[in-house]
Amino acid sequence: MSKRHAVLVLNEDMPEYLLKPEVNSILDCEPNPAYRLIIDLIWSTGGRVSEILALTPERFLFDGHDFIIKLDTLKSRGRPKKKSVERSPKRLIPLFDEKLKSAIQTFLYVNKFRKGEKIFKVCRQTVNRRIKRAAIKADDFPFAISSHTFRHSFAIHLVLHGRPLKYISQLLGHSSIKSTEIYTNVLTVDGSHFMKGIDFH
């Protein structure tokens, strides 16, 4: 966190991002299970808020090996229309966090959604208001927090953990890896841990 200011100053195109402890502090300040789950899903999948709000029960899959969320790649503003959802490219995001999986399963079981029914009946503006409110409670952040901040944070989290850029690009639903490359700017300041353990002499 102490290095983030330098990252953002040195790379003017770099989007503002949060790190894991900050995300968890915001999640802890959201008391409503539905809104907390929306935020957690954006952070844990890198999905756009429109993609998360388009989720239906059958988008959560278990193939015998992995727990998977099937996201529609949606870039439109506002609530996506049914036709745009049907025609959109799909991407599969594996989830391994047991706490999040349990929260998803509990939410689906308690609410007993019908097949094809959207599980989050809110608009993106309301989500962003809830995020802003939770962020104010959590800390005095040096920049405004929105739903898209969590998507950027997901990408940064994977870059800092050394995941292949091509894979990150696929998870984010970018049409070109060039859109994903911007996140590697974090390594100009915050990448020294990759050099540890490498001997030259």
Side-chain angles (χ1 to χ4, degrees):
M1 284 183 272
S2 63
K3 293 181 178 181
R4 178 173 53 208
H5 177 71
V7 172
L8 296 175
V9 168
L10 290 173
N11 305 281
E12 60 180 24
D13 294 331
M14 184 73 172
E16 293 160 334
Y17 61 92
L18 299 168
L19 295 167
K20 181 181 174 182
E22 297 170 310
V23 172
N24 285 330
S25 70
I26 293 175
L27 287 171
D28 289 341
C29 289
E30 176 48 72
N32 184 289
Y35 288 107
R36 180 189 169 95
L37 186 55
I38 290 170
I39 298 169
D40 208 348
L41 283 169
I42 298 172
W43 155 243
S44 301
T45 67
R48 301 172 179 88
V49 65
S50 59
E51 295 164 353
I52 300 303
L53 295 182
L55 286 172
T56 57
E58 58 271 21
R59 297 294 181 184
F60 299 91
L61 312 169
F62 180 68
D63 65 0
H65 301 283
D66 298 319
F67 187 90
I68 296 167
I69 296 181
K70 183 198 255 185
L71 287 183
D72 302 288
T73 302
L74 303 168
K75 297 181 182 179
S76 60
R77 295 183 176 276
R79 290 185 68 81
K81 295 180 181 178
K82 187 174 181 180
K83 284 187 178 180
S84 66
V85 171
E86 291 172 351
R87 296 172 182 171
S88 67
K90 316 297 179 190
R91 60 191 196 275
L92 303 179
I93 315 292
L95 283 186
F96 295 97
D97 186 281
E98 293 300 328
K99 187 176 179 181
L100 178 55
K101 286 194 286 184
S102 177
I104 292 168
Q105 290 166 337
T106 300
F107 188 76
L108 294 177
Y109 177 77
V110 169
N111 290 282
K112 303 186 185 308
F113 298 104
R114 299 184 304 276
K115 183 178 179 181
E117 181 182 2
K118 291 180 181 178
I119 66 172
F120 299 118
K121 298 172 177 63
V122 296
C123 65
R124 59 187 297 157
Q125 291 85 356
T126 304
V127 172
N128 280 317
R129 281 197 297 270
R130 298 289 303 211
I131 288 172
K132 183 178 180 180
R133 189 182 308 170
I136 290 171
K137 287 182 183 178
D139 202 352
D140 183 22
F141 294 103
F143 47 83
I145 311 297
S146 71
S147 57
H148 220 64
T149 308
F150 294 93
R151 176 172 161 84
H152 295 316
S153 304
F154 167 85
I156 293 294
H157 195 56
L158 268 61
V159 168
L160 290 174
H161 280 79
R163 298 307 185 257
L165 197 62
K166 179 67 174 175
Y167 182 60
I168 298 173
S169 183
Q170 290 172 345
L171 292 180
L172 291 170
H174 285 163
S175 57
S176 169
I177 198 169
K178 289 184 178 180
S179 300
T180 319
E181 287 175 350
I182 188 172
Y183 297 113
T184 61
N185 287 328
V186 70
L187 303 178
T188 58
V189 174
D190 201 5
S192 58
H193 56 289
F194 289 126
M195 296 299 289
K196 288 181 181 178
I198 299 177
D199 294 326
F200 290 93
H201 299 289

